[in-house]
Amino acid sequence: MDDQNTPTGFIGIDGSLVAMLFIAPAASGAGIGTALLQTSIQDYGATTLTVNEQNPRARQFYEHRGFQVTNRQPTDDQGRPYPLLTMTYNCDPLND
């Protein structure tokens, strides 16, 4: 929450899957996404996620935090031509 009690980010976890992670643009770079991701890994055992291949900034964010691409599918879940990358957590740079 920010000073106005407006949410600045949220994460959705489904088992070991990080199903969604959103950060308000004004809060980008403040460490909120890293903190949410770290909590999802440490407290909930989340180790996989998918990211749109056409979003290199998101891919870099996850790679910097220990995720690696383990699969690529040429379309999204609705069959549209938006390639998705499955990424799996494989180390612990969040605490390095």
Side-chain angles (χ1 to χ4, degrees):
M1 299 280 201
D2 64 14
D3 295 340
Q4 312 298 314
N5 284 334
T6 303
T8 54
F10 67 89
I11 193 164
I13 305 164
D14 184 11
S16 65
L17 176 69
V18 175
M20 63 187 84
L21 174 61
F22 295 102
I23 306 301
S28 181
I32 297 167
T34 298
L36 289 170
L37 192 59
Q38 184 174 14
T39 298
S40 75
I41 294 166
Q42 292 177 348
D43 296 351
Y44 298 95
T47 56
T48 60
L49 55 88
T50 58
V51 64
N52 188 308
E53 186 176 56
Q54 297 168 328
N55 187 348
R57 187 171 172 204
R59 178 181 176 173
Q60 290 171 350
F61 170 83
Y62 293 120
E63 286 177 336
H64 184 71
R65 284 146 188 89
F67 286 80
Q68 289 185 333
V69 175
T70 54
N71 192 30
R72 179 186 184 274
Q73 60 188 72
T75 59
D76 67 11
D77 294 336
Q78 287 76 42
R80 297 176 296 191
Y82 301 110
L84 295 179
L85 302 174
T86 300
M87 301 185 78
T88 303
Y89 184 69
N90 70 340
C91 64
D92 197 8
L94 296 173
N95 293 316
D96 287 347

